[in-house]
Amino acid sequence: MEDKAHDAPQQHPTNILNSTESWPQQAWTHLESLRQASPLIQCITNFVSMDLVANVLLSAGASPAMIHSIQEIPDFTPKTHALYINVGTLTSEWLTAMKMAAQVANECKTPWVLDPVAAGASGFRLKACLELLKLRPCVVRGNASEIMALFKGSVDETSKGVDSTHESTDAIEAAKSLAQITGSIVAVSGAVDIVTDGQRVVGAKNGVPMLQKITATGCSVTALITAFVAVDPLRPLQATATALSIFGLASEIGMDMAKGPASLRTHLIDALHGLDRATVLQRVNIGNV
């Protein structure tokens, strides 16, 4: 957890966007608001992702707290501006803590976001994700295989764990249906990142293929979505789409300097920290699907 002192949580900024703003302008408004507000984001995420998740949040302007102990949740979760739950390295003990944190967040009217990592890989993991879905996450972000497994409610016999065996566009109908059933915004990562509320479908088209060669980039973009939702909780679809695009844009800039996956990881963090208004307005690429 970053060594910052936090008083009682501030009120969530609301209605920060003008409905006539373009997607690039909305993306900049969200990023600028995040940098100004530095919301406290509780991350119950897997061991593999903790380092990159924390650094992505810090570089974007948020304040991450990697707190997952069930003993701390009653005291700490009410102080947060948003909660991020990621089931990557799932255990029974962690699942209990995740459920408690989601319940506390709901009681405090704090938005929370679910990353159903490898949801279709095993019966235990699928059941856990479906139970968490019942606790009404504001946003669910996964790859196509994960979202399709959640919609079908069945283990995927062809599952490759965290790797998707489908394109994001293959999961559009499943994502729309899941959004309608749960009331959550559903995002599907891929070459084009799909975001839907069950009716409207938009695509964020920034990003580079080499992100697939860096572990925890999916986990980290879900964390960034959580931070964007924290500063604009009344517009989770817009917050989700712009977070995906901003992360993808940072990867594009980082790729210009990178020699491979390891250096891209470093340059991605630097690029996210250094994004300016002119670059965001020129290069964010979001549109209807």
Side-chain angles (χ1 to χ4, degrees):
M1 181 173 65
E2 188 192 10
D3 188 18
K4 282 187 179 180
H6 289 274
D7 299 317
Q10 302 171 2
Q11 292 294 315
H12 296 290
T14 57
N15 298 317
I16 65 174
L17 298 179
N18 185 310
S19 60
T20 62
E21 284 184 333
S22 66
W23 277 113
Q25 182 58 55
Q26 290 184 55
W28 175 248
T29 300
H30 280 138
L31 182 59
E32 187 178 41
S33 298
L34 178 61
R35 290 169 172 174
Q36 292 172 349
S38 188
L40 178 61
I41 310 299
Q42 182 181 355
C43 305
I44 305 180
T45 189
N46 67 79
F47 293 120
V48 179
S49 74
M50 285 184 181
D51 176 77
L52 187 56
V53 163
N55 279 299
V56 163
L57 286 173
L58 283 168
S59 65
S63 181
M66 321 311 276
I67 287 182
H68 61 265
S69 170
I70 197 168
Q71 286 81 10
E72 292 189 278
I73 286 169
D75 292 333
F76 188 81
T77 302
K79 302 174 184 177
T80 65
H81 296 95
L83 167 68
Y84 170 39
I85 292 179
N86 174 302
V87 302
T89 48
L90 188 64
T91 67
S92 297
E93 292 76 15
W94 276 49
L95 178 57
T96 301
M98 290 171 179
K99 289 179 178 177
M100 176 183 285
Q103 289 167 345
V104 171
N106 287 340
E107 291 168 3
C108 296
K109 301 188 185 309
T110 299
W112 71 277
V113 175
L114 174 64
D115 193 325
V117 179
S122 71
F124 169 66
R125 186 171 292 271
L126 178 64
K127 182 174 183 289
C129 290
L130 293 175
E131 290 172 354
L132 287 166
L133 271 182
K134 292 180 181 178
L135 296 174
R136 306 184 310 280
C138 179
V139 180
V140 180
R141 198 289 314 171
N143 63 36
S145 293
E146 291 160 351
I147 296 304
M148 292 168 75
L150 290 182
F151 170 62
K152 294 176 182 176
S154 60
V155 173
D156 183 358
E157 298 301 330
T158 64
S159 172
K160 294 180 65 179
V162 299
D163 295 327
S164 182
T165 57
H166 301 276
E167 298 295 331
S168 59
T169 49
D170 297 336
I172 289 178
E173 292 307 316
K176 289 175 65 177
S177 296
L178 188 64
Q180 291 167 0
I181 293 167
T182 62
S184 304
I185 300 300
V186 176
V188 190
S189 291
V192 176
D193 298 320
I194 302 298
V195 184
T196 182
D197 58 5
Q199 301 297 328
R200 187 178 181 186
V201 181
V202 300
K205 301 174 184 178
N206 295 99
V208 296
M210 196 174 286
L211 285 174
Q212 299 175 48
K213 302 298 183 182
I214 307 171
T215 190
T217 53
C219 305
S220 298
V221 77
T222 313
L224 188 63
I225 289 169
T226 309
F228 275 39
V229 169
V231 298
D232 198 4
L234 297 184
R235 304 173 192 262
L237 184 145
Q238 289 87 342
T240 300
T242 56
L244 287 162
S245 188
I246 287 290
F247 188 87
L249 174 54
S251 76
E252 293 172 1
I253 296 170
M255 195 69 233
D256 290 339
M257 298 174 281
K259 296 180 179 180
S263 53
L264 175 57
R265 185 185 192 274
T266 298
H267 290 305
L268 166 69
I269 295 170
D270 287 347
L272 185 57
H273 175 72
L275 275 177
D276 58 35
R277 183 175 184 273
T279 303
V280 170
L281 294 184
Q282 181 180 10
R283 295 183 59 176
V284 158
N285 187 0
I286 303 172
N288 292 329
V289 174

